Amino acid sequence: LLLAASQPVLSAELPRLVAKDGRHALLVDGQPFLILGAQANNSSNYPDMLPKVWPMLDRIHANTLEMPVAWQQVEPKEGQFDFSFVDELLKQARANDKKLVLLWFGTWKNTAPSYVPDWVKLDNARFPRAKKPDGSDHYLHSPHARTTLEADKKAFVALMQHLKKVDAENTVILVQPQNEVGSYGNPRDYSPQAEALFRQPIPPALAKATGKSGTWAQAFGKQADRAFNSWYMARFIDEMAAAGKAVKPIPMFVNAALHSPFGEPDPSSVSSGGPQWDVLDIWKAAAPHIDFAAPDIYSREEKTVSAWLDGYARADNALFVPEIGNAADYARFFWAVLGRGGIGFAPFGMDATDFYNYPLGAKRLDEETLDAFADKFALFSRIGQDWARIAYAHPTWGVARPDDGSSRTTQMGDWKIEASFEQWQFGHKDWTWMKRDPVPWAGKPVGGAAVAQIAPNQFLVAGDHVRVTFSPGPNVKNGLMLKVEEGRFQDGQWVTSRVWNGDQVDYGLTFNEKPALLRVTMGSYK
Ligand code: N0T
C-alpha cells in the first residue's frame, strides 16, 4: 500500500495526432478533441495576469488556453531554471478546467530575439546574429549557430522534463517551439559559414522530397534564399522538437506569419524561412518531428483566408489555426476551418490585460465582439468531441461569407448544398419587399456554415447568419429533403430535441445570430 501511494499518478494516454484517409484528429485522453482555443497576449505569462485570463476564456466558451513560456523567464541565469510560472499555470488551468498549448518563446519570437535571456542577447560571439550581405549584423539570431541551438534546446528540454514530472495528466496537449520564425528584411544569413552552405547542393532529403537538384539557386531560383533559410530554421527547430519529444512525446507544431497567397512573394518583404504554405514541403522534409505547421490569420478577406486554409489543410498536415484576429469579422472563419476538417481555432489576444492589437484584431473586446466567438464556441463546447470524431471519419465542407456576400455551393455524394447569405428566415431576399428591408447584418462580414456528411444521405449542419439549402444532384431521381432534426449529442449518440418543418424549412435552413445544430436526412422515391 505504502509503495503504491508513493508511485506517481498513472499517466493517462498522451495526446497525439492521428491521420487517416487524408483526415486528422488530435486525440486527448484517447478521444478526438476540438480545440476551442484562445491565445493570451504576449506579456500575460505571469501569475499576476492569470486572473485576467480565465474569465475571458469562460466568456467565449474556450476549452484551451495558448500561453507563452519564455526562455528568459525560465532560465534568467544560465543553467538555473525556474518553472514556477508553469507550475502556477498548470494548477490554475486544471482548476478552470482548461487544456493548455504552450508557446516556447525562444531564439525566435516573430523572428526576433526579444524573449531570449540577457546572457544570450548580450553575447554576440557565442550567439551570433545573422549577417547582411554587406557583412553587418542583422537582428536575427543565425540558425547556423550550433551554440545557439544547444543553449535553446537545453532550456526547451528542461521545460519538457518539467512537464514530464508535473503533468502526468497531460493538461498540456500541444507545444509550439518558437513563434512565427523567419527573417524580415534579410532573407537569410549571409555570413561566410552560411555562404559556404548556400553554394552546396541541396540536401539529399530535400532533393528526394521535392524532386529538385543542384545548388539552392539552381533548385529554387528567386526563392532560393527563402528555401535555404526555411531548411535551416526547420532543421534547428526539428532538433529541438526531437530532443523534447524524447523526454515527453506530445505533438509539436510551428506557426507562420503569412503573406499574400496571390502572386510571387518577395523574399525580402516576407518572413523568409517561416513555415508558409508555399515552402511547406521544405519544412516537412527538414522537420519530421514537427507534427504540423499552422497559419496565423490576420486578413479579414475571405478569398485570402480561404486560400491560406487550403494551403495548410493537407493530407500530410493537420489544419489548426493557433492565431486569428479577435475582431468579430474573423469569427466567421471558424466555419471555414471546421469545414476543412480543422482540429482547432484560437482568436489571439483573449485576456483582460488592456492590450489590443488593432488593426490586426479588435479595437476593444466589447460584448458584440466576444459574442461572435462565444456563440459558436458555446455550441461546439457541447458537441466538440462528437464533431471531432465525426470529422475524422467523414467528409466535411464549410464556408465563411465571401467578401461580396455571394452564395457558395458544393456537392457531397448525391446531394447539392448551397450556403447563401443575408436571408431573413422566411422567404427570399430577392422578393421585392425584402429588397427594401435587408437583414441588419447585410453587407457585414458575418456568417458561415459547416457540414459533415455522416451517411450517404445524412448530414450534420451548423452555422450562423446563413441559409443552407439541400437539393438533389443530377444523379438523383425524385430526391427530397426528408427530415430536419435539431438536436445534440449525448454520450456520443444523437438526441433530437425537435423536428424542423413548415416555415423552418420551406425556404432552406436559415440560421440567424445563434448557431444551431441540425441533422438533415435526404431521400428519394421510386
Ligand atoms: C502575431 C501576433 C503576436 C499590418 C500579433 C502577427 C503573436 C504573433 N504576429 O499580435 O505578436 O505572438 O505570432 C504578425 C502580423 C504582422 C502583420 C502586419 C501588417
Side-chain angles (χ1 to χ4, degrees):
L1 239 169
L2 239 166
L3 217 143
S6 67
Q7 295 294 310
V9 187
L10 249 190
S11 67
E13 204 177 312
L14 286 167
R16 69 192 168 100
L17 265 150
V18 289
K20 205 176 113 215
D21 302 330
R23 289 189 272 268
H24 304 271
L26 172 66
L27 303 186
V28 172
D29 299 326
Q31 300 299 321
F33 183 80
L34 181 66
I35 297 178
L36 304 169
Q39 185 164 150
N41 278 298
N42 286 168
S43 310
S44 300
N45 54 326
Y46 293 85
D48 284 358
M49 295 304 110
L50 290 177
K52 298 175 193 283
V53 174
W54 307 117
M56 192 65 84
L57 268 76
D58 286 336
R59 170 68 178 80
I60 66 163
H61 301 272
N63 58 24
T64 302
L65 171 65
E66 300 174 346
M67 178 60 91
V69 174
W71 185 4
Q72 63 181 190
Q73 162 182 44
V74 304
E75 197 185 9
K77 290 209 178 74
E78 188 169 10
Q80 293 180 21
F81 291 101
D82 173 3
F83 290 109
S84 52
F85 171 63
V86 175
D87 292 340
E88 188 59 31
L89 180 65
L90 281 166
K91 190 178 100 192
Q92 293 196 22
R94 289 170 192 149
N96 285 278
D97 197 21
K98 305 295 181 231
K99 301 293 182 192
L100 290 172
V101 174
L102 297 188
L103 315 171
W104 175 249
F105 285 8
T107 301
W108 300 302
K109 194 284 172 187
N110 304 10
T111 78
S114 36
Y115 285 85
V116 305
D118 295 356
W119 54 270
V120 176
K121 277 184 190 157
L122 298 176
D123 192 344
N124 204 44
R126 188 171 160 209
F127 309 111
R129 271 127 187 119
K131 299 288 182 200
K132 298 181 194 170
D134 68 5
S136 66
D137 274 348
H138 189 53
Y139 69 86
L140 179 89
H141 276 273
S142 172
H144 307 290
R146 190 25 62 187
T147 39
T148 307
L149 170 54
E150 290 300 343
D152 192 335
K153 186 171 73 177
K154 189 175 155 205
F156 183 68
V157 166
L159 170 67
M160 296 308 294
Q161 275 160 346
H162 192 73
L163 287 185
K164 187 185 172 141
K165 203 169 71 194
V166 302
D167 192 27
E169 61 193 88
N170 302 311
T171 297
V172 176
I173 56 174
L174 285 174
V175 172
Q176 178 196 286
Q178 314 298 352
N179 188 79
E180 285 193 351
V181 305
S183 176
Y184 289 113
N186 192 53
R188 65 174 173 89
D189 187 2
Y190 295 89
S191 67
Q193 182 203 358
E195 286 295 284
L197 286 172
F198 189 73
R199 283 190 298 270
Q200 286 179 16
I202 62 171
L206 181 57
K208 194 172 163 222
T210 59
K212 294 179 189 290
S213 61
T215 63
W216 290 91
Q218 286 162 341
F220 294 100
K222 271 198 238 164
Q223 300 298 318
D225 288 343
R226 260 185 89 206
F228 177 83
N229 208 37
S230 298
W231 176 266
Y232 284 101
M233 287 197 144
R235 292 295 305 141
F236 184 117
I237 293 175
D238 190 64
E239 192 173 325
M240 290 181 59
K245 283 183 164 186
V247 173
K248 185 170 187 188
I250 63 175
M252 298 194 185
F253 72 102
V254 289
N255 63 333
L258 303 175
H259 49 264
S260 169
F262 311 113
E264 177 156 6
D266 167 9
S268 295
S269 59
V270 304
S271 178
S272 173
Q276 294 96 14
W277 73 94
D278 56 337
V279 290
L280 202 47
D281 289 338
I282 301 176
W283 268 83
K284 292 276 169 199
H289 296 91
I290 293 297
D291 293 85
F292 57 89
D296 289 352
I297 295 188
Y298 292 102
S299 166
R300 303 173 191 228
E301 254 184 34
E302 186 272 338
K303 72 170 175 11
T304 297
V305 175
S306 291
W308 283 337
L309 297 179
D310 288 340
Y312 285 90
R314 305 191 345 180
D316 63 353
N317 196 74
L319 177 63
F320 174 53
V321 176
E323 291 184 31
I324 187 162
N326 60 1
D329 39 352
Y330 291 96
R332 74 193 194 283
F333 298 121
F334 179 64
W335 304 116
V337 171
L338 288 185
R340 286 167 175 79
I343 63 166
F345 182 90
F348 175 88
M350 301 308 291
D351 59 39
T353 59
D354 275 324
F355 182 86
Y356 305 94
N357 71 354
Y358 178 82
L360 301 185
K363 288 179 183 163
R364 288 290 180 270
L365 291 176
D366 54 24
E367 298 305 307
E368 197 186 329
T369 302
L370 292 171
D371 280 341
F373 296 96
D375 290 343
K376 296 166 188 54
F377 278 15
L379 173 62
F380 280 80
S381 66
R382 297 191 290 274
I383 62 157
Q385 292 225 353
D386 303 286
W387 177 270
R389 169 172 45 78
I390 287 163
Y392 184 47
H394 301 280
T396 53
W397 178 70
V399 283
R401 176 194 182 273
D403 305 316
D404 63 359
S406 60
S407 49
R408 286 288 182 271
T409 57
T410 191
Q411 178 144 348
M412 296 180 90
D414 284 340
W415 308 101
K416 276 197 336 205
I417 306 171
E418 177 180 63
S420 61
F421 299 90
E422 302 178 4
Q423 305 277 8
W424 290 103
Q425 289 181 295
F426 186 93
H428 202 277
K429 66 178 173 184
D430 287 345
W431 292 359
T432 316
W433 67 89
M434 294 299 226
K435 279 188 180 160
R436 283 200 294 268
D437 194 10
V439 290
W441 55 88
K444 288 194 188 156
V446 294
V451 179
Q453 187 179 24
I454 54 178
N457 297 337
Q458 200 166 54
F459 300 88
L460 283 181
V461 192
D464 64 43
H465 301 94
V466 68
R467 168 173 295 173
V468 184
T469 313
F470 287 80
S471 57
N475 297 330
V476 192
K477 223 178 105 195
N478 303 322
L480 47 84
M481 192 166 70
L482 199 57
K483 197 181 199 180
V484 179
E485 298 157 277
E486 182 177 346
R488 59 187 187 276
F489 285 93
Q490 213 173 306
D491 305 320
Q493 297 299 310
W494 175 262
V495 179
T496 302
S497 45
R498 62 166 171 163
V499 173
W500 279 22
N501 208 342
D503 290 347
Q504 281 70 50
V505 303
D506 287 347
Y507 300 95
L509 314 175
T510 315
F511 302 82
N512 57 22
E513 300 90 319
K514 293 291 166 202
L517 182 70
L518 302 177
R519 185 170 77 169
V520 176
T521 308
M522 305 298 290
S524 59
Y525 60 90
K526 291 243 158 53

